[in-house]
Coordinates of all heavy atoms in Angstrom, one line a residue:
V16 N 182.0 21.1 118.5 CA 180.5 21.4 118.6 C 180.2 21.9 120.0 O 179.6 23.0 120.1 CB 179.7 20.2 118.2 CG1 178.2 20.5 118.5 CG2 179.9 19.8 116.8
I17 N 180.7 21.2 121.0 CA 180.4 21.6 122.4 C 181.0 23.0 122.7 O 180.5 23.8 123.4 CB 180.8 20.5 123.4 CG1 179.9 19.3 123.2 CG2 180.8 21.1 124.8 CD1 178.5 19.5 123.5
G18 N 182.2 23.2 122.2 CA 182.9 24.4 122.4 C 182.2 25.6 121.8 O 182.3 26.7 122.3
R19 N 181.4 25.4 120.7 CA 180.7 26.4 120.1 C 179.3 26.7 120.7 O 179.0 27.9 120.9 CB 180.4 26.0 118.6 CG 181.7 26.0 117.8 CD 181.4 25.3 116.4 NE 182.6 25.0 115.7 CZ 183.1 25.8 114.7 NH1 182.4 26.9 114.4 NH2 184.2 25.5 114.1
Y20 N 178.6 25.6 121.1 CA 177.2 25.8 121.5 C 176.9 25.4 122.9 O 175.9 25.7 123.4 CB 176.3 25.0 120.5 CG 176.6 25.4 119.1 CD1 177.1 24.5 118.2 CD2 176.2 26.7 118.6 CE1 177.4 24.8 116.9 CE2 176.4 27.0 117.3 CZ 177.0 26.1 116.4 OH 177.3 26.4 115.1
G21 N 177.8 24.7 123.6 CA 177.6 24.2 124.9 C 176.7 23.0 125.0 O 177.1 22.0 125.6
D22 N 175.5 23.1 124.4 CA 174.6 21.9 124.5 C 173.6 22.1 123.3 O 173.7 23.1 122.5 CB 173.9 21.8 125.8 CG 173.1 23.1 126.2 OD1 172.8 23.9 125.3 OD2 172.8 23.3 127.4
A23 N 172.7 21.1 123.2 CA 171.7 21.1 122.1 C 170.8 22.4 122.1 O 170.5 22.9 121.0 CB 170.9 19.9 122.2
A24 N 170.5 22.9 123.3 CA 169.7 24.1 123.4 C 170.4 25.3 122.8 O 169.8 26.2 122.2 CB 169.2 24.3 124.8
G25 N 171.7 25.3 123.1 CA 172.5 26.4 122.5 C 172.6 26.4 121.0 O 172.6 27.5 120.4
Y26 N 172.6 25.2 120.5 CA 172.6 25.1 119.0 C 171.3 25.6 118.4 O 171.3 26.3 117.5 CB 172.9 23.6 118.6 CG 172.7 23.4 117.1 CD1 173.6 24.0 116.2 CD2 171.7 22.6 116.6 CE1 173.4 23.8 114.8 CE2 171.5 22.3 115.3 CZ 172.4 22.9 114.4 OH 172.2 22.7 113.0
I27 N 170.2 25.1 119.0 CA 168.9 25.6 118.5 C 168.8 27.1 118.6 O 168.3 27.7 117.7 CB 167.7 24.9 119.3 CG1 167.7 23.4 119.1 CG2 166.4 25.5 119.0 CD1 166.8 22.6 120.0
A28 N 169.2 27.7 119.7 CA 169.1 29.1 119.8 C 169.9 29.8 118.7 O 169.5 30.9 118.2 CB 169.7 29.5 121.2
A29 N 171.1 29.3 118.4 CA 171.9 29.9 117.3 C 171.3 29.8 116.0 O 171.3 30.7 115.1 CB 173.3 29.2 117.3
I30 N 170.6 28.6 115.7 CA 169.9 28.4 114.4 C 168.7 29.4 114.3 O 168.5 30.1 113.3 CB 169.4 27.0 114.3 CG1 170.5 26.0 114.0 CG2 168.3 26.9 113.3 CD1 171.1 26.1 112.6
V31 N 168.0 29.6 115.4 CA 166.8 30.5 115.4 C 167.3 31.9 115.2 O 166.6 32.7 114.4 CB 166.0 30.3 116.7 CG1 164.9 31.4 116.8 CG2 165.3 28.9 116.7
K32 N 168.3 32.3 115.9 CA 168.9 33.7 115.7 C 169.3 33.9 114.2 O 169.0 35.0 113.7 CB 170.1 33.8 116.6 CG 170.7 35.2 116.6 CD 171.8 35.4 117.6 CE 172.4 36.8 117.5 NZ 173.6 36.9 118.5
A33 N 169.9 32.9 113.6 CA 170.3 33.1 112.2 C 169.1 33.2 111.3 O 169.1 34.0 110.4 CB 171.2 31.9 111.8
A34 N 168.1 32.4 111.6 CA 166.8 32.4 110.8 C 166.2 33.8 110.9 O 165.6 34.3 109.9 CB 165.9 31.3 111.2
R35 N 166.1 34.3 112.1 CA 165.5 35.6 112.2 C 166.2 36.7 111.5 O 165.6 37.7 110.9 CB 165.4 36.0 113.7 CG 164.4 35.1 114.5 CD 164.1 35.7 115.9 NE 163.2 34.8 116.6 CZ 161.9 34.7 116.4 NH1 161.3 35.5 115.5 NH2 161.1 33.9 117.1
R36 N 167.5 36.6 111.4 CA 168.3 37.6 110.6 C 167.8 37.5 109.1 O 167.7 38.5 108.4 CB 169.8 37.3 110.7 CG 170.4 37.9 111.9 CD 171.9 38.0 111.8 NE 172.5 36.6 111.8 CZ 173.0 36.0 112.9 NH1 172.9 36.6 114.1 NH2 173.5 34.8 112.8
L37 N 167.7 36.3 108.6 CA 167.3 36.1 107.2 C 165.8 36.6 107.0 O 165.6 37.2 105.9 CB 167.3 34.6 106.8 CG 168.7 34.0 106.8 CD1 168.7 32.5 106.8 CD2 169.5 34.5 105.5
V38 N 164.9 36.4 107.9 CA 163.6 37.0 107.8 C 163.7 38.5 107.7 O 163.0 39.1 106.9 CB 162.7 36.5 109.0 CG1 161.4 37.3 108.9 CG2 162.5 35.0 108.9
A39 N 164.5 39.1 108.6 CA 164.6 40.6 108.6 C 165.1 41.1 107.3 O 164.8 42.2 106.9 CB 165.5 41.0 109.8
D40 N 166.0 40.3 106.7 CA 166.6 40.7 105.4 C 165.7 40.4 104.2 O 166.1 40.7 103.0 CB 168.0 40.1 105.2 CG 169.0 40.6 106.2 OD1 168.8 41.7 106.8 OD2 170.0 39.9 106.4

């Protein structure tokens, strides 16, 4: 998990980015 996101803020940013892609689609 840490290797992927670094910290909790990095995980939230990845989730939000993914959600925005879904909205755009």
Side-chain angles (χ1 to χ4, degrees):
V16 171
I17 292 299
R19 293 166 189 264
Y20 306 111
D22 55 22
Y26 172 65
I27 294 172
I30 287 286
V31 171
K32 183 178 179 180
R35 291 194 181 280
R36 279 195 291 265
L37 291 166
V38 171
D40 290 344

